[in-house]
């Protein structure tokens, strides 16, 4: 069974092809960063239009990469939600048209299930139960994942997502958009103890996060020291900012593992590409506290293979019916 998936929930126009053994046969994407960077964030209307312009080209590239023709595809999948309404509609219409034309089933996939599936693409031996920390531009969530696609929320952010904390702070520091990867690169050369930015835990014994105070703290810090001084110390400032976000994510994950009596944790979503976060989890793993699974870098940020992978996991479990709805759902809690 070969699944071809379309991902258009935000600003990546992506097509992935995955077989039932979760082997990735193609994973092509167009990143719309150049379209949105001048506005300092994603403009939904531009995202939808760019998906429309680029999808056919990504489909062709994915087929070329896999060496397959459309006739060898067995099912079409697309991201049904959560995400931006217009961009989701473009992907859904494209997927439905393709499926109808080829006489294939068309499945609507949950975007966060896609991020979780990214770990399964990288670690075929991975098996629930585990705790999943999803950290992306739109989400920061702790979820208990059990066999049979049972998801129980253990907490989420009350305001900004971890990726937003990186992006909004990066904007204040003058690092452009999106700033997560830039902060990661600069922070790798800096001292994480240079400045202690506040860590907001809300209640330590919950899985709830709050990151909105961090950008205010960064703003105050920049006002206090002035732009030239900040620029001079940018690697240290980035390392310190990154340390605050990473400490909160790791501490809350440890709380969730303890609460569920588990030691396996999957960390997924765009922020899981962050080196400092990976290092901190690796340090905990070395101490025997947990086993962390991070997707390969190419499956961390939004991509088509993760959506095809999530579809395959459901099909393999005999749950094709659960993906039959083809209306998009811009707001859609996991589980
Ligand atoms: O999963 P994703 O591609 O899109 C959403 O579903 O939101 O995540 C994008 C987010 C952005 O906020 C970006 O700044 C962040 O992931 N990101 C990173 C890194 N690479 C991407 N944050 C920190 N360190 C990175 N290396
Ligand atoms: Zn995502």
């Amino acid at each position: 069974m070969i699944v071809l998936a379309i991902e258009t929930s935000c600003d990546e126009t992506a097509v992935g092809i995955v077989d039932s053994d979760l082997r990735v046969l193609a994973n092509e994407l167009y990143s719309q960063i150049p379209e949105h960077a001048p506005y300092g964030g994603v403009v939904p209307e531009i995202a939808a239009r760019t998906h429309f312009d680029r999808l056919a080209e990504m489909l062709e590239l994915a087929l070329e990469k896999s060496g397959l023709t459309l006739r060898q595809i067995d099912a079409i999948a697309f991201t049904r939600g959560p995400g931006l309404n217009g961009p989701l509609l473009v992907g859904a219409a494209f997927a439905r048209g393709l499926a109808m034309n080829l006489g294939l089933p068309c499945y609507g996939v949950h975007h966060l299930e896609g991020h979780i599936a990214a770990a399964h693409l990288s670690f075929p031996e991975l098996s629930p139960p585990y705790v999943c920390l999803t950290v992306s531009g739109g989400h920061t969530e702790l979820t208990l994942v059990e066999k049979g696609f049972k998801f129980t929320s253990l907490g989420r952010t009350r305001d900004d997502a971890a990726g937003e904390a990186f992006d909004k702070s990066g904007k204040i520091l003058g690092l452009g958009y999106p700033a997560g990867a830039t902060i990661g690169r600069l922070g790798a050369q800096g001292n994480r103890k240079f400045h202690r930015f506040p860590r907001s835990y809300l209640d330590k014994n919950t899985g709830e996060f709050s990151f909105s105070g961090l950008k205010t703290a960064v703003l105050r810090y920049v006002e206090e020291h002035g732009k030239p001084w900040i620029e001079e110390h940018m690697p240290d400032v980035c390392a310190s900012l990154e340390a605050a976000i990473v400490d909160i994510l790791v501490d809350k994950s440890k709380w969730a593992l303890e609460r569920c009596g588990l030691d396996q944790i999957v960390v997924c979503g765009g922020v899981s590409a962050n080196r400092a976060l990976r290092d901190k989890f690796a340090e905990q793993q070395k101490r025997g506290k947990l086993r962390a699974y991070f997707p390969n870098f190419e499956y961390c940020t939004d991509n088509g293979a993760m959506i095809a992978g999530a579809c395959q996991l459901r099909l393999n479990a005999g749950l094709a019916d659960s993906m039959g709805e083809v209306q998009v759902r811009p707001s859609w809690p996991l589980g």
Side-chain angles (χ1 to χ4, degrees), residues 308-332:
C311 182
Q312 288 287 16
L313 286 170
R314 276 200 180 252
L315 291 176
N316 287 346
L319 293 168
D321 288 353
S322 64
M323 301 180 288
E325 293 270 347
V326 288
Q327 298 304 323
V328 300
R329 280 189 70 176
S331 277
W332 188 7

Side-chain angles (χ1 to χ4, degrees), residues 96-211:
R96 279 198 295 249
L98 201 57
M100 215 179 280
N101 223 287
L102 297 165
L104 296 178
C106 190
Y107 299 117
V109 173
H110 197 292
H111 183 77
L112 296 187
E113 248 181 74
H115 276 303
I116 296 172
H120 289 267
L121 296 178
S122 308
F123 301 97
E125 75 282 7
L126 174 65
S127 139
Y130 53 76
V131 168
C132 181
L133 172 69
T134 310
V135 271
S136 70
H139 301 271
T140 298
E141 310 221 8
L142 277 165
T143 311
L144 167 63
V145 181
E146 294 173 283
K147 281 207 162 62
F149 292 86
K150 203 169 155 232
F151 301 102
T152 310
S153 175
L154 301 166
R156 54 171 62 99
T157 183
R158 286 198 190 164
D159 39 59
D160 290 348
E164 266 180 301
F166 274 107
D167 295 338
K168 289 180 177 172
S169 302
K171 204 168 169 180
I172 295 166
L173 294 170
L175 296 175
Y177 174 86
T182 311
I183 292 172
R185 204 179 54 249
L186 291 168
Q189 302 145 32
N191 171 11
R192 79 192 302 277
K193 291 192 172 147
F194 183 72
H195 175 72
R196 189 173 169 85
F197 285 106
R199 276 101 168 122
S200 164
Y201 285 100
L202 297 172
D203 180 346
K204 268 219 166 181
N205 290 317
T206 73
E208 305 256 289
F209 299 85
S210 169
F211 286 108

Side-chain angles (χ1 to χ4, degrees), residues 73-311:
I73 304 295
D74 300 301
I76 305 293
F78 68 96
T79 304
R80 205 185 145 200
L84 300 169
N85 190 46
L88 286 170
L89 282 170
V90 173
F94 190 89
R96 279 198 295 249
L98 201 57
M100 215 179 280
N101 223 287
L102 297 165
L104 296 178
C106 190
Y107 299 117
V109 173
H110 197 292
H111 183 77
L112 296 187
E113 248 181 74
H115 276 303
I116 296 172
H120 289 267
L121 296 178
S122 308
F123 301 97
E125 75 282 7
L126 174 65
S127 139
Y130 53 76
V131 168
C132 181
L133 172 69
T134 310
V135 271
S136 70
H139 301 271
T140 298
E141 310 221 8
L142 277 165
T143 311
L144 167 63
V145 181
E146 294 173 283
K147 281 207 162 62
F149 292 86
K150 203 169 155 232
F151 301 102
T152 310
S153 175
L154 301 166
R156 54 171 62 99
T157 183
R158 286 198 190 164
D159 39 59
D160 290 348
E164 266 180 301
F166 274 107
D167 295 338
K168 289 180 177 172
S169 302
K171 204 168 169 180
I172 295 166
L173 294 170
L175 296 175
Y177 174 86
T182 311
I183 292 172
R185 204 179 54 249
L186 291 168
Q189 302 145 32
N191 171 11
R192 79 192 302 277
K193 291 192 172 147
F194 183 72
H195 175 72
R196 189 173 169 85
F197 285 106
R199 276 101 168 122
S200 164
Y201 285 100
L202 297 172
D203 180 346
K204 268 219 166 181
N205 290 317
T206 73
E208 305 256 289
F209 299 85
S210 169
F211 286 108
S212 66
L214 193 55
K215 61 175 186 285
T216 317
V218 172
L219 184 64
R220 290 231 179 88
Y221 191 67
V222 173
E223 281 168 358
E224 199 181 309
H225 293 275
K227 274 265 164 71
W229 186 91
I230 294 283
E231 260 156 43
E232 216 175 292
H233 297 90
M234 197 59 95
D236 291 331
V237 175
C238 286
S240 303
L241 168 65
E242 203 173 33
I245 299 171
V246 165
D247 284 355
I248 295 166
L249 294 177
V250 174
D251 287 347
K252 291 276 178 176
S253 300
K254 279 162 62 185
W255 167 85
L257 286 170
E258 207 166 293
R259 187 186 146 170
C260 299
L262 295 171
D263 72 344
Q264 297 197 106
I265 180 141
V266 163
V267 187
C268 62
V271 179
S272 69
N274 184 269
R275 179 46 66 195
L277 183 65
R278 287 175 177 243
D279 288 350
K280 181 111 189 180
F281 270 108
E283 189 189 302
Q284 296 293 317
Q285 181 157 327
K286 241 189 218 160
R287 288 199 215 154
K289 304 245 183 228
L290 48 80
R291 281 180 292 154
Y293 296 88
F294 282 80
N296 295 347
F297 284 109
E298 68 265 37
Y299 308 136
C300 286
T301 45
D302 292 349
N303 65 88
M306 71 183 204
I307 302 302
C311 182

